[in-house]
Amino acid sequence: MALLRYLVIRLFLILPTAWILVTVVFFLMRVIGDPISAAMGGRMTQQQIEVRKEAAGLNRPILTQYWEYISGLMHGDFGHSQDNRQISEVVTTYGAATLELVFWALLVAFAVGVPLGRYAATHRDSTADAGLRLFAVLAYAAPVFFVGLLLKLIFAVKLEWLPVAGRASTSVELQLQHVSPKTNIMVVDAILYGDNSYLIDVLKHAILPAVALGLLTAGIFLRLVRVNLIQTLHSEFVDAARARGLSARVVTGRHAVRNAMIPIITVMGMYIATLLGGAVLTETTFEWKGLGYQLAEYLHQRDFIAVQGIVAFLALAVAVISFLVDVIVALIDPRVRF
């Protein structure tokens, strides 16, 4: 019952959280100015701009526009871009690419951050520990676009081991357009196509963007694992495990690491939002055509209605992901239910 009560409360908190986020996005976009004038100013006469504003409903009172916007969101309508594309269609087309990139980045973050954090904790105050802590700070502090450009210069330009940009080679991308059912997740489409060379090509294109974005979170995971593992290794239940004659490796692996991972899962929802923000710069750097890349394009075109729709979708996605993370944490750690 405690678990059910906790989950119900967290579920009901999604709606006000999402409402606050989309409301802030809506009014911030209106503070910037009229989106039609911003996008078409200098390319249309004032009369033509007024006609388009009237058609878009931007001449109506701000509260009326807000109510229509919220009503549209409740029906899955995130608005239309200046080229008359539905934002929901843009999200469906490009959202899968961003989801794929975030998934690969999370894999890199766990593969790098957790083992290194464990090593730093078990070799506390050594030279290796100091070096790993410095690496964690640099990984988190370095701008993701700078890391991306550095990786491109080393592994794509200098060594020529990996592709410079894109989600796949042009020929592979064209062939994967004919996959049925098409998921827009390139690695899944390559598997469905059934050609291993296509799958290898897709994976090669994913390495540099995933590392550039994953290192951003790997540094955080490293520090969290190190701090929590050090605390856990001094806990009473760990002393009891040692007293039973268990080896240091078993004590650390089976007992201490599991408890030290709980804070990682707890903050994962928050840092998924960080990954989504970093995806904008990563996708632009590597021409990875996802939501971040498309958002940058709309910003360049000054299409604020499209920007508003994509940001609102990302805000809703973060709220839902945070709820799912809370569910996982509640199942793992009974203490958070009370």
Side-chain angles (χ1 to χ4, degrees), residues 101-166:
L101 177 59
V102 169
F103 172 77
W104 292 127
L106 274 176
L107 283 184
V108 171
F110 273 105
V112 174
V114 175
L116 292 183
R118 175 177 173 173
Y119 186 85
T122 53
H123 295 76
R124 184 181 181 184
D125 296 330
S126 66
T127 303
D129 179 31
L132 288 173
R133 280 185 287 167
L134 178 61
F135 166 76
V137 173
L138 291 176
Y140 178 71
V144 66
F145 67 89
F146 172 76
V147 175
L149 291 173
L150 194 62
L151 291 173
K152 287 172 70 172
L153 285 172
I154 296 173
F155 295 101
V157 178
K158 182 72 174 177
L159 299 175
E160 298 183 355
W161 288 353
L162 297 168
V164 175

Side-chain angles (χ1 to χ4, degrees), residues 20-32 58 61-70 73 308 311-312:
I20 291 171
L21 289 172
V22 298
T23 299
V24 169
V25 170
F26 175 85
F27 284 104
L28 280 177
M29 289 294 101
R30 292 303 182 273
V31 167
I32 292 174
L58 295 174
I62 187 70
L63 292 180
T64 303
Q65 295 180 45
Y66 174 69
W67 173 250
E68 292 176 350
Y69 173 64
I70 295 295
L73 286 181
Q308 172 184 284
V311 173

Side-chain angles (χ1 to χ4, degrees), residues 174-236:
L174 289 173
Q175 289 295 326
L176 294 182
Q177 295 295 324
H178 305 294
V179 172
S180 180
K182 184 172 174 56
T183 65
N184 290 319
I185 299 176
M186 198 68 74
V187 68
V188 175
D189 290 342
I191 293 172
L192 292 175
Y193 193 87
D195 191 325
N196 289 334
S197 64
Y198 287 6
L199 179 59
I200 292 171
D201 180 80
V202 169
L203 291 175
K204 282 184 176 180
H205 280 79
I207 290 174
L208 291 184
V211 171
L213 185 56
L215 286 178
L216 178 69
T217 310
I220 301 168
F221 286 0
L222 192 160
R223 291 176 64 86
L224 282 174
V225 170
R226 178 187 177 276
V227 170
N228 286 283
L229 187 54
I230 288 173
Q231 292 176 348
T232 306
L233 286 172
H234 290 86
S235 300
E236 292 181 356

Side-chain angles (χ1 to χ4, degrees), residues 3 6-7 325-337:
L3 174 61
Y6 172 79
L7 294 182
V325 170
D326 287 339
V327 172
I328 295 172
V329 172
L331 293 173
I332 294 175
D333 188 1
R335 292 172 298 179
V336 303
R337 308 173 194 173

Side-chain angles (χ1 to χ4, degrees), residues 309-333:
I310 292 176
V311 173
F313 171 79
L314 292 175
L316 291 170
V318 169
V320 173
I321 291 170
S322 297
F323 168 72
L324 295 177
V325 170
D326 287 339
V327 172
I328 295 172
V329 172
L331 293 173
I332 294 175
D333 188 1

Side-chain angles (χ1 to χ4, degrees), residues 50 62 66 75 80 98 109 128 130 143 170 181 184 193 256 267 274 308 321:
E50 290 299 325
I62 187 70
Y66 174 69
H75 292 87
H80 293 75
T98 298
T170 304
N184 290 319
Y193 193 87
V267 302
T274 303
Q308 172 184 284
I321 291 170

